[in-house]
Amino acid sequence: SENEGLMVKALPIDLIWRKRVIRSKIVREGWMKDNGLSNVMELIKRQKWENLFKRRELVHVDSVKEFYARMTVIHLKKKDVVKASLKGVAIEFDHLKLASILGIPGNNGVCEYIKDIWEESKYTKPLQIIRKFANDETLMAARRVKSGEMKPFQRFIHFLVMRNVVPRFGKRDTSSFMDLTYMDHLMTRRLVNLPRVMMKHVGYEISMKDH
């Protein structure tokens, strides 16, 4: 039912405190145009993410870590909910409220959260996607794609996905299947429900020791 779902709680606070906070990539439209990347900006505008990619705000790292350490993420069929506290103040919001805070859409689009599970779904055909970004139609098995195999435009999309969609610190020279999936969604102009993806990603990150 709508009230049943997966509840993810954060690791102990000492483990959360060891994690690093990733700052998102700011995109300057003028720089993109001057460097022949106007088509990337068009893809961002297609998703209506311009506001998110232009935000530059002061990040209080210790407050972010405290917030994460006291967080529970609840994944339901039709929504995701975060419950946490910061400085003794209870905080609760769903993906629609997060969308409102960030100034981006949150009421439609795909929100798959795929760790390296090389299975075909409604939107993903693994081998087809891997061939596309490895730029090698002869590949016969699923595998990760090195950034050096990508065309410059694809590498820049990969960079944005790693910094703004499903951010991480490690293995930035190699794409996960989830990276490739969202690169493909962006490049084929398929709408993405980014607030739900973000909340699924946060739920995963706060529960994993090595992330």
Side-chain angles (χ1 to χ4, degrees):
S1 72
E2 173 62 20
N3 294 320
E4 296 175 343
L6 174 65
M7 180 180 293
V8 181
K9 293 187 176 182
L11 294 165
I13 192 167
D14 61 314
L15 295 179
I16 291 291
W17 221 257
R18 296 175 195 172
K19 292 176 177 284
R20 292 181 290 177
V21 175
I22 303 174
R23 290 170 171 80
S24 61
K25 175 65 178 175
I26 303 300
V27 173
R28 294 183 176 86
E29 189 166 358
W31 181 91
M32 303 272 277
K33 183 177 180 180
D34 292 343
N35 287 273
L37 293 169
S38 296
N39 46 357
V40 176
M41 201 66 215
E42 290 174 8
L43 298 181
I44 292 172
K45 289 180 177 180
R46 160 64 178 162
Q47 300 290 338
K48 298 183 179 179
W49 292 349
E50 306 99 299
N51 191 52
L52 175 66
F53 279 71
K54 293 177 181 179
R55 294 170 72 103
R56 181 182 292 277
E57 298 178 357
L58 183 64
V59 176
H60 298 276
V61 173
D62 287 353
S63 294
V64 171
K65 290 184 178 183
E66 180 187 343
F67 178 69
Y68 279 6
R70 303 183 189 283
M71 179 186 292
T72 298
V73 183
I74 305 169
H75 302 300
L76 302 170
K77 183 177 181 180
K78 294 185 179 180
K79 67 178 180 179
D80 299 283
V81 179
V82 163
K83 295 184 178 182
S85 65
L86 182 62
K87 309 299 182 186
V89 177
I91 300 170
E92 181 175 338
F93 57 89
D94 64 9
H95 69 282
L96 292 175
K97 180 62 176 178
L98 178 61
S100 176
I101 293 169
L102 298 176
I104 61 176
N107 55 359
N108 57 38
V110 298
C111 55
E112 303 168 296
Y113 192 78
I114 308 167
K115 300 310 288 181
D116 285 318
I117 301 172
W118 307 88
E119 296 180 358
E120 187 167 323
S121 72
K122 179 179 179 181
Y123 300 109
T124 59
K125 297 184 178 359
L127 192 54
Q128 179 179 324
I129 291 175
I130 292 161
R131 286 173 174 172
K132 176 178 180 177
F133 292 110
N135 295 286
D136 184 350
E137 291 297 324
T138 67
L139 290 176
M140 298 303 295
R143 63 165 176 81
R144 289 173 176 261
V145 177
K146 296 282 187 181
S147 60
E149 297 177 279
M150 300 177 189
K151 297 176 181 177
F153 173 71
Q154 295 170 335
R155 283 201 299 271
F156 194 78
I157 294 292
H158 183 223
F159 177 71
L160 293 181
V161 166
M162 286 193 302
R163 291 295 294 270
N164 294 64
V165 180
V166 282
R168 67 173 185 271
F169 271 110
K171 299 181 180 178
R172 288 187 172 180
D173 63 338
T174 305
S175 62
S176 68
F177 183 48
M178 185 155 57
D179 293 341
L180 298 179
T181 297
Y182 279 100
M183 289 169 65
D184 189 62
H185 289 337
L186 293 177
M187 293 178 66
T188 57
R189 299 175 178 267
R190 184 176 295 115
L191 293 179
V192 173
N193 191 326
L194 186 53
R196 292 205 71 180
V197 175
M198 287 178 166
M199 293 175 80
K200 293 175 190 295
H201 188 56
V202 166
Y204 177 80
E205 291 294 327
I206 64 170
S207 66
M208 300 296 291
K209 284 186 179 182
D210 300 326
H211 288 257

